[in-house]
Amino acid sequence: MNMETGSLVPSFVVFQVGRRRVALSREDVAELIASPLLFSFPHTTPLITGVVLRRGRIVPVLDLGPALLGAPSPPARFFLVVERRISNISERCAIPVQGECELVAGIMMPAAEQDDFVSGCLELNDEQIDVLDLEKAIAAGARAEAETITAGEALP
Amino acid sequence: MTQKVSQSLMPRNSRRREQVAVFSIAEYSFVISAASVQEIRSTDSLGGTVVEMDRPVLRKVRHIVERDARAYYVVSGYEHFHLPQSRPTTVLILRSAPVAVLVDRIEEMAEMRVLLALPQSFRGEERTWYRGLTVLDRKVLPVANPLGFLTAGDLQQLEEQNPGLLQSAAAQRVERGRG
């Protein structure tokens, strides 16, 4: 994935979670990496499936599947490393993605989608691609996962 | 408790090293500073000194164990970390808190060369459970916080519901020793 564009038109990284193609602003994305070894340990934070070691740093892995698909996303060959701002601290996280990632330039249009984590949409080869607000998507995924767990606990 | 938490791996010689015990519960491995552990015992060897609590207020604490004139709350490791039921065979008696932790087994003693901060993305109980993360044999492992097994609030709750139980258990042990 080539991250260099000289255009003034905003650019976006289009990626796939499960069967759903979505986009993030290029500024949110640091790199695309081949799926490294995932380490998991007990914790209670929704969406985090483990951590990976990347250039000597610990990078949490966040599955957007619960927000975008309503279920965990399938196994991934690549992780999209994104930049988050948490309590004014910048932190990199890895999102498991399926299929190809593309860097595209385009104008974001208002979203037709009702999901509150969709900040707009791109038209790409007659396809409407939702552009995500990453923090809202993470929050929505956390809510969805919590609801799934609550429903599961309520089962006899 | 010898080193500051770091954001990244540093040249190994620039940091103080720390002896640790690697223990397992269910399918997971954890690290704990050897300095924070007073004693490691087999659960079989504790039989006569374990007292069942009349009023357990925390699911993970149901017993008290007496050792050397001190009493400790026995914390179930798998309940603490919300793991499926496991088969603890070993108890870690901690030095800095009245806590004895049931774990499945000790895997090894090792030298920890780096302590990495838990990423901010982790927002749950793990921020209390762990001092951070470390890398041993190319594996990332959580470093247990010895003060995280029972927080000050937990200890207060246990004491309020079972007033004087720890002290009396320890005192009885001393009396028995004199008799």
Side-chain angles (χ1 to χ4, degrees), chain B residues 97-112:
Chain B
V99 172
V101 186
L102 289 170
V103 304
D104 290 9
R105 65 187 184 93
I106 297 292
E107 292 180 0
E108 61 172 331
M109 302 300 287
E111 189 176 73
M112 181 170 80

Side-chain angles (χ1 to χ4, degrees), chain A residues 39 42 44-45 56 84 91 93, chain B residues 9 120-121 123 125-126 130:
Chain A
F39 300 97
T44 60
T45 304
R84 295 185 69 187
E91 179 166 288
C93 292
Chain B
L9 295 171
Q120 290 295 316
S121 291
R123 310 300 287 177
E125 291 174 79
E126 59 273 16
Y130 305 133

Side-chain angles (χ1 to χ4, degrees), chain A residues 137-150:
Chain A
I138 291 168
R143 283 196 302 273
E145 195 169 276
E147 283 166 14
T148 307
I149 291 167
T150 307

Side-chain angles (χ1 to χ4, degrees), chain B residues 49 66-69 168-178:
Chain B
T49 61
E66 307 154 17
R67 297 291 306 161
D68 299 329
S168 63
Q172 282 173 21
R173 173 77 175 169
V174 171
E175 287 299 314
R176 280 203 301 272
R178 284 179 186 150

Side-chain angles (χ1 to χ4, degrees), chain B residues 6 9 12 22 25 94 97 121 138-139 146-147 150 163 169 172:
Chain B
S6 161
L9 295 171
R12 288 177 174 177
V22 182
I25 301 173
L94 303 189
S121 291
R138 297 183 180 178
K139 290 182 201 158
L147 301 179
L150 287 178
Q172 282 173 21

Side-chain angles (χ1 to χ4, degrees), chain A residues 54-95:
Chain A
R54 182 71 181 158
R55 297 194 183 110
R57 286 182 180 266
I58 300 283
V59 178
V61 176
L62 278 169
D63 181 13
L64 291 183
L68 302 179
L69 315 170
S73 61
R77 285 176 50 216
F78 294 98
F79 289 179
L80 197 63
V81 179
V82 298
E83 202 81 51
R84 295 185 69 187
R85 295 286 302 174
I86 305 168
S87 308
N88 287 327
I89 297 170
S90 179
E91 179 166 288
R92 288 191 171 186
C93 292
I95 296 172

